[in-house]
């Protein structure tokens, strides 16, 4: 990932998945860390960046987590908006201070949070019914050029029945 746009797509995908997992476990997060780094083993230019932000109030909504993650990505990005010169190979989000949803502190602007909760629930319902990634945020992109390349991956004999070798006599 050498451009800010591709990095933002990857971070959006990770934040969306993190929000889904939080909701499935009935938790909210109070802090989020966004990180990305280059490959330390290939001899090219090295860089590692991260930013942490507080979620106030603690949240598990997709919109709140994605907005916070993109804000952190923009602050941690080094270079211009088109191309940095660094080839980032890993990016992600980490959530801290997880508490059960019913124990989370209440905010004065709870009505805005309720709207976002309904939107996140609708997003989850569509994706549960029609399949993963049926409905995504536009900031995640449609080409998914940030995904790892698996063309040289070894068969997964121990975890997938479809990869088991077949012997014919």
């Amino acid at each position: 990932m050498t451009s800010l746009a591709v990095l933002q797509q990857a971070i959006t995908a990770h934040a969306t998945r993190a929000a889904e997992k939080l909701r499935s476990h009935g938790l909210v997060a109070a802090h989020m860390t966004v990180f990305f780094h280059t490959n330390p083993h290939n001899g090219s230019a090295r860089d590692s960046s991260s930013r942490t932000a507080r979620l106030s109030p603690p949240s598990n909504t997709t919109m709140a987590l994605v907005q916070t993650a993109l804000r952190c990505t923009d602050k941690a990005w080094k270079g211009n908006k088109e191309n940095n010169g660094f080839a980032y190979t890993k990016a992600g989000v980490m959530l801290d201070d997880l508490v059960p949803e019913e124990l989370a502190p209440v905010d004065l602007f709870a009505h805005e949070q309720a709207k976002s909760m309904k939107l996140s629930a609708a997003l989850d319902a569509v994706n549960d019914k029609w399949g993963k990634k049926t409905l995504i945020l536009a900031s995640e992109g449609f080409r998914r050029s940030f995904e790892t390349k698996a063309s040289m991956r070894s068969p997964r004999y121990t975890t997938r029945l479809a990869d088991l070798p077949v012997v014919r006599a």
Side-chain angles (χ1 to χ4, degrees):
M1 299 175 282
T2 57
S3 73
L4 178 59
V6 174
L7 183 61
Q8 287 173 330
Q9 290 174 3
I11 294 296
T12 298
H14 293 307
T16 300
R17 182 69 180 130
E20 290 171 7
K21 287 185 176 190
L22 281 175
R23 286 191 299 276
S24 71
H25 293 288
L27 299 171
V28 293
H31 288 92
M32 171 187 274
T33 301
V34 172
F35 67 91
F36 44 93
H37 63 79
T38 58
N39 185 349
H41 306 292
N42 67 359
S44 64
R46 294 175 64 178
D47 184 53
S48 179
S49 296
S50 69
R51 290 292 183 275
T52 300
R54 184 170 186 246
L55 294 161
S56 181
S59 181
N60 63 5
T61 63
T62 301
M63 301 309 160
L65 267 60
V66 168
Q67 287 174 350
T68 303
L70 291 178
R71 203 168 45 248
C72 288
T73 303
D74 287 340
K75 292 204 185 273
W77 179 256
K78 298 171 187 165
N80 60 27
K81 300 293 181 194
E82 298 303 318
N83 194 339
N84 177 335
F86 293 112
Y88 293 107
T89 56
K90 187 172 188 176
V93 299
M94 293 184 290
L95 301 172
D96 295 318
D97 298 334
L98 305 180
V99 295
E101 202 168 357
E102 58 275 1
L103 298 178
V106 182
D107 191 345
L108 178 63
F109 304 105
H111 68 285
E112 291 295 325
Q113 193 174 10
K115 288 180 185 178
S116 191
M117 290 289 290
K118 288 180 183 178
L119 185 58
S120 294
L123 189 69
D124 288 345
V126 169
N127 287 334
D128 287 344
K129 183 173 183 174
W130 299 104
K132 187 177 174 183
K133 299 288 182 191
T134 300
L135 200 58
I136 62 171
L137 300 180
S139 62
E140 192 171 330
F142 301 104
R143 291 200 182 104
R144 300 187 63 82
S145 59
F146 57 86
E147 287 186 337
T148 57
K149 309 298 182 253
S151 59
M152 302 295 287
R153 183 183 61 218
S154 300
R156 297 169 284 183
Y157 304 122
T158 60
T159 57
R160 291 188 58 161
L161 291 176
D163 287 351
L164 279 174
V166 177
V167 178
R168 302 192 196 281

